[in-house]
Amino acid sequence: MSQPPPPPNQPPQQPGFGPPQEPSEPQTPAPSAPATPSTPPAQPPQQPPAGPDLNKAPQPQPGYGYPQAPGTPPPAAPPTPPQGPGYGYPQQQQQPAGYGYPAQQPGPYGPGAYGQPQQPGPYGQQPPYGYAQPTVPMQAQAGQPGGGRKINAQVAIIVSAVVAIALIVGCGVWYANSSGKDDDKQTTAEGGDTKGGEGDGKEGGSGDGGATTGEAEEKAPAATGSKVLFQVPSPKVPKGVTTISIAGSWLTDSVYAKSGLSEITGYDRKSGTKKWTLDLPGPVCAATPHLTEDNKTAIVHKPAMPSKTDPQACTEVAVVDLAAGSKVWTKTAKSGTMPVSFNNVTIGGGTVAAGSTSGGAAWDLATGDERWAPKTSDSCYDAGYGGGAKLVAVRKCGSYDQRQLHIQNVDPKTGDVLAEYKMDEGIEYAAVVSTDPLVVAADVGDSAGDGSGISDFFSIDNKTGKLRARLSAPGDEFAARCDAIYKVENCTGVTVGNDRLYIATEEHDSGGDSYGQTNEVVAFDLATGKQTGQRADAGENYEIFPLRMDGPDVIAYKRPPYDKGGQVVSIDGESFKETILMENPSTEAVRDVESRMSPDYSEIQFGQGGLYMSSVYASDFTSREKEYSVIAFGTE
């Protein structure tokens, strides 16, 4: 039933969730399932389809599963996506989109960069929700992926009408930015050549989506209209190299730091002025979003720049001081006589822990001294770790067809297991959403059906290891995503605080007389597993994604319709009242860059009145003169 990894020297798969991973070693992919595209009916339904059942009680799910099936083979060339991100975007002449646009992201099932075989990824091949579907006859694209979300038949028909009207009135409407200014230097993304990055909160704080601490810090400014602070041109990959990871971005009180091809650069948060550059021998493979109180973080990088003949392995684990712009230490680990190639790294309890299929290790964050290594056996290994307030291991035991995951609360200093929850056999992958309270996401029995990697969340008591509640989150109703295969902490569209889980719903028709699309953020009680009834609406043609906690409140990003800029809002943890913290310019040049930073494919962070959006891969799949890996916004 298994199939070998795809042959080298082919273009990456298009366009699954997330960019290609940096594997430590090839694995046997799961059995593939054919994708079945949806065919719209000739006439729209009499009533708009209902949105997700926001009061649905959790349903028991089967205990057996298997890895997410890979999608269809890659096309001969990258498909050309629509240019408009929102519903109802006017049809324009198709131009090949540059890197950073979701449909351009290399998929997880194609061969890895530099001819290295790629391990299977868990995500489907359908472009993400929120992107306009073609509304006029177009030439069929060979090898176009199917599967993923179903295309709403009514939307496809109504878009045609909207496009026709939009073309009549001149192919779109221009809006002034919310500050009322018409200064190209402030509202255009075409000027400037500075660089930047983005980050996530402090270790043990709200940035890890874990325990709620303190009061909300983000306040609405007097004027919420933002301007472009700076942007970073996408780095040019070396000749003969297809894709290079530029994962990793962090936000401190004064610095915005971003990974480049073989460096990390710190920039002034407001001006984008370069403050320091840390040279690395090779690209960053993985990075934790967590920061210590003194602004240190951890990365995994390659020992040299990759080439077609030598892709290099991700063997170097390092701690970086983002205040000084220096490397604190670099360590490696061995499994037998071979160096371990790591898939993930995190920080928790003063310990740096890195894991992979070939082994793991843990070091003292301050000194780099080895603290412990996971116990290995013929049937068990630590696949990865979740950090922040606590340190949690996802340990895999058993054979491929009888896999069992052990979710372990680990003593950061000794590696001793403090508490353990054993998941049902057959669940192949799990992601750590939060370590305190402990919440794990999994696709049970491959029942999500949308490539999200999530069908259920598990709320676990991290003191006893007992299951508190199981939260049913069907893939056709909820929009959170996790890359549980390699990046154990990599989840989007969900955050945890107030002993609740806040999750985005899938897009659906707005209802009533409107034919627009929208979605919501809803809350689950982690003690009962039931929805609380709280609901924050995105608004017509917006799509809302929770980013992180801010004390008891939720910070969320609203992906805009084609003719407006995105928004950042604060959602009160109790009343669910929304407060706008920022609204971005609606000029076409700015929208063009912002629309390519999809929350499912990019790193998006907000702090102290600044919004930072960046890509995690640099690629040669572009025909545009200027591509940006980062765009930063700020209010006055």
Side-chain angles (χ1 to χ4, degrees):
M1 295 296 292
S2 63
Q3 58 185 17
N9 301 322
Q10 292 183 1
Q13 182 72 25
Q14 309 284 340
F17 170 74
Q21 306 300 328
E22 294 285 350
S24 59
E25 59 183 29
Q27 289 185 340
T28 303
S32 61
T36 305
S38 173
T39 303
Q43 298 296 330
Q46 296 299 317
Q47 297 294 333
D53 182 358
L54 299 178
N55 295 304
K56 183 173 182 178
Q59 299 294 324
Q61 298 292 340
Y64 290 87
Y66 47 91
Q68 180 72 26
T72 55
T80 303
Q83 295 298 311
Y87 171 79
Y89 191 87
Q91 186 69 28
Q92 299 179 2
Q93 181 179 0
Q94 298 296 313
Q95 298 291 340
Y99 178 79
Y101 194 90
Q104 287 291 97
Q105 293 277 9
Y109 297 105
Y114 335 118
Q116 184 178 18
Q118 184 71 19
Q119 295 179 351
Y123 304 109
Q125 304 300 311
Q126 184 74 11
Y129 45 82
Y131 283 85
Q133 301 294 333
T135 56
V136 295
M138 297 177 62
Q139 183 177 355
Q141 296 172 341
Q144 182 70 25
R149 287 179 191 76
K150 297 179 181 179
I151 299 173
N152 185 294
Q154 188 178 24
V155 170
I157 296 171
I158 298 304
V159 168
S160 299
V162 174
V163 169
I165 296 172
L167 291 173
I168 293 173
V169 299
C171 294
V173 181
W174 286 87
Y175 285 81
N177 68 51
S178 55
S179 66
K181 298 179 181 179
D182 193 20
D183 185 349
D184 285 343
K185 293 182 180 179
Q186 295 184 351
T187 60
T188 180
E190 294 300 318
D193 56 2
T194 55
K195 299 181 180 181
E198 66 192 25
D200 201 353
K202 303 289 185 182
E203 179 187 358
S206 61
D208 67 355
T212 302
T213 56
E215 297 182 358
E217 297 180 355
E218 306 295 347
K219 307 297 181 184
T224 57
S226 72
K227 64 179 180 181
V228 175
L229 299 177
F230 58 90
Q231 52 276 329
V232 184
S234 295
K236 301 296 183 184
V237 299
K239 186 176 180 181
V241 174
T242 301
T243 305
I244 288 182
S245 168
I246 53 172
S249 51
W250 305 268
L251 194 60
T252 75
D253 291 340
S254 60
V255 171
Y256 179 64
K258 174 63 183 174
S259 297
L261 292 184
S262 59
E263 65 183 17
I264 299 175
T265 305
Y267 302 88
D268 182 272
R269 286 182 47 146
K270 293 186 178 180
S271 67
T273 302
K274 185 184 294 186
K275 301 186 78 169
W276 51 260
T277 298
L278 172 61
D279 292 327
L280 300 171
V284 174
C285 307
T288 178
H290 302 304
L291 297 179
T292 63
E293 290 297 329
D294 58 351
N295 294 321
K296 291 183 175 65
T297 192
I299 62 171
V300 175
H301 66 84
K302 296 186 175 185
M305 285 298 291
S307 65
K308 276 179 121 178
T309 57
D310 188 357
Q312 298 291 328
C314 301
T315 57
E316 315 297 301
V317 177
V319 166
V320 176
D321 186 334
L322 298 176
S326 61
K327 189 185 290 187
V328 180
W329 52 257
T330 303
K331 298 292 179 181
T332 60
K334 288 186 176 181
S335 176
T337 60
M338 297 296 294
V340 176
S341 184
F342 294 103
N343 292 328
N344 55 77
V345 66
T346 195
I347 296 173
T351 293
V352 176
S356 74
T357 58
S358 57
W363 301 268
D364 182 279
L365 191 150
T367 65
D369 294 338
E370 184 172 343
R371 282 190 163 174
W372 47 268
K375 295 182 175 120
T376 58
S377 68
D378 292 338
S379 60
C380 291
Y381 65 92
D382 285 8
Y385 303 94
K390 297 185 181 298
L391 189 62
V392 172
V394 176
R395 188 166 177 82
K396 287 192 174 186
C397 293
S399 60
Y400 178 81
D401 56 349
Q402 285 186 310
R403 184 81 73 198
Q404 186 174 43
L405 300 183
H406 298 193
I407 309 301
Q408 300 175 333
N409 183 15
V410 174
D411 185 316
K413 294 183 178 180
T414 65
D416 293 339
V417 177
L418 304 177
E420 181 178 71
Y421 172 71
K422 295 181 180 180
M423 305 187 79
D424 290 344
E425 287 188 6
I427 300 176
E428 188 70 18
Y429 305 103
V432 179
V433 181
S434 167
T435 60
D436 186 21
L438 179 52
V439 180
V440 171
D443 187 358
V444 180
D446 193 33
S447 58
D450 64 342
S452 65
I454 305 172
S455 66
D456 296 80
F457 293 92
F458 297 79
S459 173
I460 302 167
D461 188 313
N462 54 25
K463 293 182 180 179
T464 66
K466 293 182 179 180
L467 182 68
R468 298 176 65 200
R470 180 168 166 178
L471 292 62
S472 177
D476 60 348
E477 295 182 17
F478 296 95
R481 270 148 172 59
C482 290
D483 178 3
I485 293 184
Y486 308 114
K487 314 296 184 185
V488 172
E489 290 184 305
N490 187 11
C491 293
T492 61
V494 62
T495 191
V496 173
N498 305 321
D499 207 34
R500 293 169 185 166
L501 181 140
Y502 302 95
I503 184 172
T505 68
E506 286 283 7
E507 269 196 313
H508 55 83
D509 291 345
S510 298
D513 296 331
S514 170
Y515 295 106
Q517 295 281 289
T518 190
N519 79 322
E520 302 80 27
V521 169
V522 298
F524 282 84
D525 188 307
L526 292 176
T528 66
K530 297 180 180 179
Q531 290 192 40
T532 65
Q534 295 166 307
R535 166 176 169 163
D537 295 322
E540 187 171 347
N541 287 328
Y542 283 89
E543 188 175 10
I544 189 169
F545 296 84
L547 298 177
R548 63 174 176 87
M549 298 302 298
D550 176 30
D553 299 341
V554 179
I555 301 297
Y557 172 72
K558 287 188 176 182
R559 187 170 176 82
Y562 77 92
D563 56 356
K564 295 183 181 179
Q567 295 180 351
V568 176
V569 299
S570 176
I571 304 171
D572 186 279
E574 290 302 324
S575 68
F576 255 48
K577 177 183 177 182
E578 296 180 41
T579 301
I580 295 178
L581 302 178
M582 173 182 287
E583 185 162 10
N584 294 334
S586 59
T587 55
E588 184 177 14
V590 176
R591 296 196 320 263
D592 182 64
V593 179
E594 183 180 4
S595 68
R596 297 173 194 280
M597 301 297 181
S598 165
D600 279 341
Y601 296 85
S602 309
E603 296 169 328
I604 301 180
Q605 301 295 336
F606 178 85
Q608 300 178 24
L611 175 67
Y612 304 84
M613 312 175 75
S614 73
S615 302
V616 294
Y617 272 75
S619 172
D620 65 352
F621 287 118
T622 179
S623 61
R624 289 176 170 262
E625 204 170 304
K626 269 195 176 181
E627 291 297 333
Y628 295 97
S629 63
V630 173
I631 186 167
F633 299 92
T635 53
E636 295 290 350

